[in-house]
Structures are given as C-alpha cells and as structure tokens.
Amino acid sequence: MRKHIATLKTHYNSVLRKSLSTQILAALEAHPAFRAASTVLLYYSLKDEVDTHTFVQKWSKKKRILLPVVVGDDLELRIYTGPEDMATGSYGIEEPTGELFTDYATIDFIAVPGVAFDLKGNRLGRGKGYYDRLLPRIPSAYKAGICFPFQLVEEVPAESFDIRMDIIITINEK
C-alpha cells in the first residue's frame, strides 16, 4: 500500500499539492475541535505531505503549537516559537529547538500525518512506529488524520492496539 500511495503522489506536482493543502487546512481550521483547542500538536510537513509550514506559523500566534522532534525511536514534543528556532533534524525534517513539552494531558488536538487512512479512522504510517508510540500517551486529545484525497483508501490494515483517528480531514476532488 505504501508503494501504491507513493506512485499516486508522483501525479501531484508541487503547485497542485500546495492548492490542495490550502483547501485541506481550511477544512481543518474550520473544525469545531480545532477552533476550541488551545494546545495543538501539528507536524512540520515533508515535501510529499499536506504542506503545514505556513499553517504552523499562522496558528502559533493564536494557540500553543507543539511539533514533534525525532529522538532515537521516539518523538519528543517541543513548543514552536517561530521559524528562526527551527533546525534540520532526522529525515531532513525541520524541528523546533524550543522548550521540551511533557504535559501531554493539556494537548487538546492533534493533526496526524499518514501515508493512508480509511473511513474508520485507521492510519498507515511510514513504518517506523513513531506515532504508534506517541499517541497512547495523549489519549484525551482529539485526533485528526490529515491527507490528500488519494490517501483515503477503502481499508487500512489495523491491529486492535492501533489508535484510530477521530476524523480524517481531506477534500473531495471534483
């Protein structure tokens, strides 16, 4: 499934990905759970993901924004303070260098990237298990899978211990 989605991604140039990202993130910011949240865990996108860079910066002025940092086999969370406090980390991902955040109970909303999602809220990641280890530590947060329309598939293989998303946010292509 990962290879199939990777092939589909090649049909989407950067202009189309940017346009779709804008629409998807508009749907995200209109969602009542996002609007009500004060502490939000986002992600700083890779080039083939829904582009969150501008979105992170925009909302950091209104909400406490957290971003993950890869440390060994786990994700640590850090408070995003601005583009000047970002450094290239593992996998070439820009990561915040700010203050470590461990008060998981105060996280209201999580935007979760993935390779694929299904309508039941199951998620297929990149295979390293980072979010599989992180999400159980934040059980009370509202979890939204964020993806391009072609990443929404009929069924994602899931185990009983996998944490489902509360909603999948994408757009309907016309």
Side-chain angles (χ1 to χ4, degrees), residues 43-53 91-93 126:
Y43 64 94
Y44 212 67
S45 55
L46 293 168
K47 64 180 170 64
D48 65 345
E49 295 175 326
V50 173
D51 186 346
T52 61
H53 297 196
Y91 308 107
I93 301 170
R126 292 185 181 262

Side-chain angles (χ1 to χ4, degrees), residues 35-74:
R35 296 192 76 72
S38 57
T39 300
V40 178
L41 171 56
L42 295 174
Y43 64 94
Y44 212 67
S45 55
L46 293 168
K47 64 180 170 64
D48 65 345
E49 295 175 326
V50 173
D51 186 346
T52 61
H53 297 196
T54 303
F55 189 80
V56 166
Q57 198 166 351
K58 170 186 175 182
W59 283 101
S60 69
K61 295 169 179 56
K62 300 172 181 138
K63 299 178 182 285
R64 178 166 50 182
I65 299 297
L66 309 173
L67 293 176
V69 174
V70 175
V71 178
D73 289 336
D74 287 310

Side-chain angles (χ1 to χ4, degrees), residues 4-14 16-17 150:
H4 175 68
I5 296 293
T7 301
L8 292 176
K9 284 180 181 180
T10 65
H11 300 295
Y12 285 71
N13 64 35
S14 61
L16 182 54
R17 278 197 306 271
F150 65 86

Side-chain angles (χ1 to χ4, degrees), residues 11-152:
H11 300 295
Y12 285 71
N13 64 35
S14 61
V15 173
L16 182 54
R17 278 197 306 271
K18 193 76 156 167
S19 171
L20 290 172
S21 293
T22 299
Q23 295 173 63
I24 293 164
L25 293 172
L28 171 63
E29 66 188 359
H31 193 281
F34 179 82
R35 296 192 76 72
S38 57
T39 300
V40 178
L41 171 56
L42 295 174
Y43 64 94
Y44 212 67
S45 55
L46 293 168
K47 64 180 170 64
D48 65 345
E49 295 175 326
V50 173
D51 186 346
T52 61
H53 297 196
T54 303
F55 189 80
V56 166
Q57 198 166 351
K58 170 186 175 182
W59 283 101
S60 69
K61 295 169 179 56
K62 300 172 181 138
K63 299 178 182 285
R64 178 166 50 182
I65 299 297
L66 309 173
L67 293 176
V69 174
V70 175
V71 178
D73 289 336
D74 287 310
L75 293 178
E76 285 185 357
L77 305 182
R78 296 197 180 272
I79 298 171
Y80 174 82
T81 53
E84 65 282 353
D85 295 323
M86 300 287 281
T88 303
S90 299
Y91 308 107
I93 301 170
E94 290 294 304
E95 300 175 335
T97 58
E99 180 184 341
L100 182 64
F101 184 88
T102 57
D103 192 3
Y104 296 136
T106 64
I107 300 172
D108 303 305
F109 189 97
I110 306 172
V112 184
V115 171
F117 296 91
D118 66 25
L119 290 175
K120 294 178 195 152
N122 294 310
R123 172 186 171 273
L124 177 68
R126 292 185 181 262
K128 301 286 187 189
Y130 290 111
Y131 279 90
D132 294 331
R133 288 185 289 280
L134 175 67
L135 292 176
R137 294 187 247 162
I138 318 170
S140 62
Y142 191 89
K143 291 168 272 317
I146 309 299
C147 67
F148 294 115
F150 65 86
Q151 293 176 279
L152 192 56

